[in-house]
Amino acid sequence: MRFTDLITKDTIILDLRGTTKEAVIDEMIRTLAKAGKLDDDVAFKKAILAREAQSTTGIGEGIAIPHAKSKAVKQSAIVFGRSKEGIDFESLDGKPSHLFFMIAASEGAHNAHLETLSRLSTLLMDPSFRHKLETAQTADDIIQTIHEYEENDKVPNEDTSTKSTSGKILAVTACPTGIAHTYMAADALKAKAKELNVNLKVETNGSTGVKNALTQQDIDEAIAIIVAADKQVEMDRFAGKPVIQVPVSQAIRKPEELIHRALKKDAPIYHGSGNQSNSANTFGERKGFYKHLMNGVSNMLPFVVGGGILIAISFIFGIKAFDPNDPSYHPIAEALMTIGGGNAFGLMIPVLAGFIAMSIADRPGFAPGMVGGFMAATGGAGFLGGLIAGFLAGYLVLGLKRIFSVLPPSLEGIKPVLLYPLFGILITGLIMMYIVIDPVKALNDGLKVWLEGLGTGNLVLLGLILGGMMAVDMGGPINKAAFTFGIAMIDAGNYAPHAAIMAGGMVPPLGLALATTMFKKKFTIAEREAGKTCYIMGASFITEGAIPFAAADPGRVIPSIIVGSAVAGALTMMFGIGLPAPHGGAFVIPIVTGSAWLYVLAILIGSFVTAFMVGFWKKEVQE
C-alpha cells in the first residue's frame, strides 16, 4: 500500500480557509466527505474530537495530525491541508501549525492501510520533507514529494539499537488509535538515542498490533524502561525495574530528557500487578476482583475450548463410547475423552486458581494458587472452590510478603525460591483441606440438586436470565459471569444452563447479520459487509461480533440483542436441551442432549427476534 493510494488531488487543500482549530477540522472533514470517503461526517467529527480530548494532535514543529479510526469512514484516506499564516492547534510547543494531515481510518481497515497511515508519522520527522511540503506550488507537487520520499525509503527500520557502554534502555509507545503518535514517539526516541550513542529498543503498540516486542532477555538486560502511552500496555513484565511513565506526547517533544532520566535510573521501581509507586497515568486498567478473575478466566479458556471440543468430538461416537464397559465403546472416543476431559479439563481449575493468585501476588502466588486449585478439583469443590483457592493463595502470599519484608536484605534471594512457595503452599493447602473443600462441595451438590429439581417455569426463567446476560455487554464482565457459571455447571454435571448460555451468545451477531440482510436500507454499505462476517462469528459463538453495531447505535441495538438472546435461552430450557461442550457454537450442536433441531430452532427464533426489532427501530440511512 502506497501513500498515493490514500492521498489524492481531491483530498489536498493548498490554502486552508479556517482560522480556528474547529474550523480547520470541519474544512478537512468536508473535503473527505466530498471525496466520498465518509459514510457519516457527523460521527467522524465526533471521533476526531474525542481523540483531541485525550491529547492534542498538534505535535509541534508546525504539524498537526488529527486522526481517528471510525465506523463512519467508508474508505481509509488522508487529507492534506496547509496554512501559510498558521493556526493555533493547541500544539505541544505552543506554536501555530502550518501543515495538517487528517487521517481517516475505517473500522475494518486492513493492516496494509494502517501500516501506510502510520508510516506518515515517520516521514514528518524529516525536516526536508516538511520544507518541500511547505514550498510546494500545486497539488501535483505535494503528491510528487510524497512519492519521492516513499520511493527513497526514508522510513527507518523498526529496531534501532546502538552499541554503547551506558546500558540498555527500553521503551514502549502507544496511543489510543495507534496510527500517528505511537510511531512519532518511537521515531523521536530512536533518533535521539542514536544521536546520544545510547542503546535503545522501542516496542510500538499500534493499530496493527505490537511490533518489535520486548523479550524477557531485553527486560533482564535493561537498566530502565520508558513507557510513553495514552492507553493500557502490558506492565507486569517490568516488575522490579525503574519505569518512567509519561503520556505519548512527551516522548515526541522531550525524548532527550526521558533518555537522560532513564540513564540515571531517575524513576520509581515498578512493583507489578497494577501497583505503582508514582502517579503517572494509567489508562483503562481494571482493578481489584474483576481484573484478577479475568486473568484467571482468560488463561483458563484455551483449556476449556480445546478440551471441551475434544470431549464433544468423542460424543459423536456415542455419549458413553469412551467407557470400555459400554457396548458403544470406541478407542478413539476413549482417547479423545482422556485428552480433553481427563487432562485438559483436569487442568482447568488449577490453571484458573493459579493465574488468579498470580494476578494478585505476581509469580510467588502462582504455585500456591495451582496447588489450591488442584485440591479443589480433586476434592469435589469444583469451579467455586478453584475461585476461592485463587483469591486465598494470592492474598495469602501478599501477606507473607509483608511478614518477610523485615528479614535482612541478604535473605532476599531465598524468598521466591523457598519461603513463598513453602509457606504459601502449606497454608493454602491446610485452609483448603480443613476449611474450604467440604462446605463448598456440599454447596455444589446442593446447587446441582436444586437445578435438577426446578420446575419448567423456573428453568425457563433461568434460561431467560442467562441468555440475556450474554448480550448485555458482549464479552464484558456480565457476559463472562454467565459463561463462567455455565462452565461450573458442566463441571458439576448439569448441562442445561450452558445450552442457554451458548444460544444466548450466538444470537447477537446472528441476529444483526440477519438484520443487515433483511433490512438493507437501514444499514450502510460498510455495515452490510460487516453483517456478512457476523454470520460466521455468530455460528462460532463469538458474541463480540455484535460490538461495532452496538457501539454505533446502542439505544436500538443493545435492547434488541438482549431480548433475542433471552428468548433463545428460555426456549432451550423449555425444549430440555443440554450442552456438554463449553465452546464451539454450531460445530457442537450435533452433540447436545435433547433435540439438536429444537436447539437450532431456539437459536433461529432468538436471532429473528433481534433482527426484526433492529429492523423496526432503525431508520433508513442516506448513502
Side-chain angles (χ1 to χ4, degrees):
M1 178 67 63
R2 304 169 66 84
F3 288 119
T4 46
D5 294 327
L6 298 171
I7 186 167
T8 56
K9 285 185 181 181
D10 56 356
T11 59
I12 293 175
I13 310 170
L14 290 174
D15 189 9
L16 287 164
R17 297 179 182 178
T19 57
T20 65
K21 179 176 181 176
E22 186 164 359
V24 167
I25 288 173
D26 286 339
E27 189 174 347
M28 300 182 85
I29 290 175
R30 284 197 300 270
T31 301
L32 277 172
K34 188 176 179 180
K37 306 298 184 182
L38 300 179
D39 281 324
D40 186 339
D41 51 349
V42 175
F44 181 66
K45 182 179 179 180
K46 287 182 181 178
I48 287 286
L49 294 179
R51 175 63 187 89
E52 291 295 324
Q54 292 170 328
S55 61
T56 180
T57 57
I59 61 174
E61 305 293 341
I63 304 166
I65 314 179
H67 58 276
K69 184 178 180 183
S70 170
K71 193 177 181 62
V73 177
K74 181 186 298 184
Q75 183 181 355
S76 297
I78 300 172
V79 177
F80 170 75
R82 188 175 65 185
S83 170
K84 293 181 180 179
E85 293 77 17
I87 294 162
D88 181 7
F89 213 81
E90 302 172 7
S91 295
L92 297 172
D93 58 2
K95 297 178 181 179
S97 297
H98 297 272
L99 301 177
F100 298 84
F101 284 88
M102 177 173 280
I103 299 174
S106 63
E107 188 72 25
H110 298 300
N111 283 356
H113 278 100
L114 296 172
E115 287 170 357
T116 302
L117 292 169
S118 64
R119 287 207 317 274
L120 172 65
S121 62
T122 302
L123 284 182
L124 289 172
M125 301 301 289
D126 188 331
S128 65
F129 177 67
R130 299 199 301 267
H131 177 71
K132 287 196 173 185
L133 293 178
E134 289 168 352
T135 56
Q137 298 298 311
T138 66
D140 285 327
D141 292 341
I142 297 289
I143 292 175
Q144 183 60 30
T145 298
I146 294 172
H147 176 73
E148 287 175 1
Y149 274 74
E150 187 173 29
E151 286 296 308
N152 291 336
D153 193 25
K154 290 184 177 289
V155 181
N157 292 331
E158 185 77 34
D159 189 5
T160 303
S161 297
T162 307
K163 297 297 180 183
S164 102
T165 58
S166 57
K168 186 173 187 176
I169 297 173
L170 304 179
V172 179
T173 63
C175 76
T177 53
I179 296 172
H181 285 51
T182 298
Y183 301 97
M184 298 190 80
D187 293 336
L189 288 167
K190 289 188 287 188
K192 186 56 66 175
K194 188 174 182 180
E195 178 185 323
L196 298 173
N197 194 32
V198 171
N199 189 357
L200 173 76
K201 179 177 179 179
V202 185
E203 171 186 293
T204 55
N205 287 237
S207 293
T208 56
V210 174
K211 297 291 181 66
N212 203 33
L214 304 179
T215 66
Q216 188 58 51
Q217 182 178 348
D218 291 329
I219 296 168
D220 293 340
E221 294 173 352
I223 61 170
I225 294 104
I226 300 167
V227 177
D230 287 345
K231 70 172 186 176
Q232 183 182 4
V233 297
E234 177 55 47
M235 292 294 297
D236 281 353
R237 52 186 167 157
F238 303 138
K241 291 286 184 178
V243 177
I244 301 167
Q245 288 185 284
V246 295
V248 69
S249 58
Q250 282 203 32
I252 299 173
R253 298 300 310 149
K254 301 178 180 179
E256 185 170 359
E257 177 185 313
L258 293 175
I259 290 171
H260 282 308
R261 280 186 61 190
L263 290 173
K264 296 175 188 176
K265 301 182 184 178
D266 178 17
I269 301 299
Y270 189 81
H271 296 300
S273 298
N275 299 321
Q276 306 174 91
S277 54
N278 69 328
S279 59
N281 292 346
T282 44
F283 295 83
E285 185 174 3
R286 285 166 174 161
K287 303 285 186 180
F289 177 87
Y290 180 68
K291 174 194 170 188
H292 306 316
L293 175 62
M294 285 302 100
N295 191 59
V297 170
S298 62
N299 282 285
M300 174 194 73
L301 276 179
F303 296 87
V304 173
V305 175
I309 292 177
L310 287 175
I311 293 171
I313 295 172
S314 78
F315 289 151
I316 293 174
F317 295 91
I319 296 298
K320 294 288 186 180
F322 63 87
D323 185 355
N325 299 317
D326 192 88
S328 64
Y329 170 73
H330 196 289
I332 295 178
E334 182 185 17
L336 292 170
M337 180 61 74
T338 300
I339 297 168
N343 294 284
F345 249 45
L347 287 169
M348 177 180 74
I349 293 174
V351 167
L352 171 74
F355 279 97
I356 288 174
M358 187 175 177
S359 176
I360 296 168
D362 212 347
R363 292 185 181 180
F366 186 67
M370 283 285 288
V371 172
F374 185 73
M375 293 178 69
T378 56
F383 199 87
L384 179 58
L387 289 175
I388 295 172
F391 285 99
L392 168 66
Y395 287 113
L396 176 65
V397 172
L398 280 185
L400 291 174
K401 287 183 176 183
R402 292 190 179 94
I403 293 170
F404 293 140
S405 64
V406 300
L407 294 177
S410 59
L411 297 178
E412 195 69 28
I414 71 167
K415 291 180 184 178
V417 297
L418 175 61
L419 298 181
Y420 296 146
L422 172 61
F423 288 98
I425 291 172
L426 174 64
I427 300 172
T428 299
L430 288 173
I431 294 174
M432 291 297 296
M433 182 180 293
Y434 292 109
I435 299 176
V436 175
I437 289 179
D438 286 342
V440 174
K441 183 177 183 298
L443 180 63
N444 283 338
D445 291 342
L447 179 62
K448 182 179 178 182
V449 171
W450 176 72
L451 285 172
E452 290 172 348
L454 284 177
T456 301
N458 290 329
L459 280 173
V460 170
L461 178 61
L462 179 63
L464 189 84
I465 294 169
L466 291 174
M469 287 174 68
M470 292 299 291
V472 170
D473 52 2
M474 296 154 285
I478 297 174
N479 171 287
K480 287 293 187 292
F483 183 71
T484 301
F485 176 76
I487 295 172
M489 290 299 96
I490 289 176
D491 185 56
N494 191 313
Y495 302 147
H498 205 72
I501 287 163
M502 189 173 292
M506 293 169 69
V507 162
L510 287 175
L512 290 165
L514 287 170
T516 60
T517 301
M518 296 163 59
F519 305 99
K520 293 182 179 180
K521 293 183 179 180
K522 303 290 183 81
F523 297 91
T524 65
I525 295 173
E527 286 173 333
R528 295 201 294 270
E529 288 300 313
K532 296 175 184 177
T533 306
C534 278
Y535 280 112
I536 299 171
M537 299 183 80
S540 303
F541 185 42
I542 302 174
T543 315
E544 289 84 348
I547 289 176
F549 293 90
D553 191 1
R556 297 179 178 89
V557 170
I558 293 178
S560 301
I561 61 177
I562 291 174
V563 171
S565 293
V567 168
L571 288 174
T572 62
M573 289 291 196
M574 184 183 297
F575 295 154
I577 310 298
L579 182 63
H583 212 287
F587 304 101
V588 295
I589 288 177
I591 57 92
V592 298
T593 60
S595 171
W597 293 110
L598 287 177
Y599 191 44
V600 171
L601 179 63
I603 295 169
L604 288 176
I605 291 173
S607 299
F608 275 104
V609 168
T610 290
F612 281 115
M613 286 183 67
V614 171
F616 176 76
W617 275 344
K618 283 184 72 70
K619 298 177 181 178
E620 290 189 9
V621 297
Q622 299 297 323
E623 291 291 349

